[in-house]
Amino acid sequence: ASTNVQHAFDTGLTQHPLGEELYNSKLKNKEVLLIREEIAKGGVTQQSLANKYNVNRKTIFSVIKRETWKHI
């Protein structure tokens, strides 16, 4: 990255997009919260949630473990 770009990130003038702001995000913030709620209630599998939200099971796992979507 150029010095100017790095400076912008370092000083908070520019931020990395997160979650649904990413161009290739398949989930919305609300869906992530719903996924976590459904898992907390129990009676649902990661695979069934993956099918419901049209994502890979690993995506659901990462959401639950907060490996991704940490900001919400």
Side-chain angles (χ1 to χ4, degrees):
S2 74
T3 304
N4 287 339
V5 171
Q6 188 61 50
H7 175 263
F9 279 108
D10 292 345
T11 59
L13 296 172
T14 301
Q15 297 180 0
H16 293 285
L18 297 173
E20 65 185 32
E21 296 173 358
L22 289 168
Y23 75 94
N24 61 344
S25 175
K26 291 188 175 183
L27 296 171
K28 301 291 183 195
N29 293 343
K30 185 176 180 178
E31 292 172 324
V32 169
L33 296 173
L34 289 172
I35 289 167
R36 290 180 180 151
E37 285 178 22
E38 291 181 66
I39 285 292
K41 287 180 189 174
V44 66
T45 66
Q46 291 180 22
Q47 187 60 56
S48 67
L49 289 174
N51 294 342
K52 178 178 178 178
Y53 292 100
N54 198 30
V55 295
N56 189 284
R57 189 205 55 82
K58 174 63 177 156
T59 301
I60 300 296
F61 176 85
S62 296
V63 165
I64 294 165
K65 297 296 182 184
R66 295 186 188 269
E67 294 174 355
T68 57
W69 297 85
K70 299 174 190 178
H71 62 289
I72 59 169

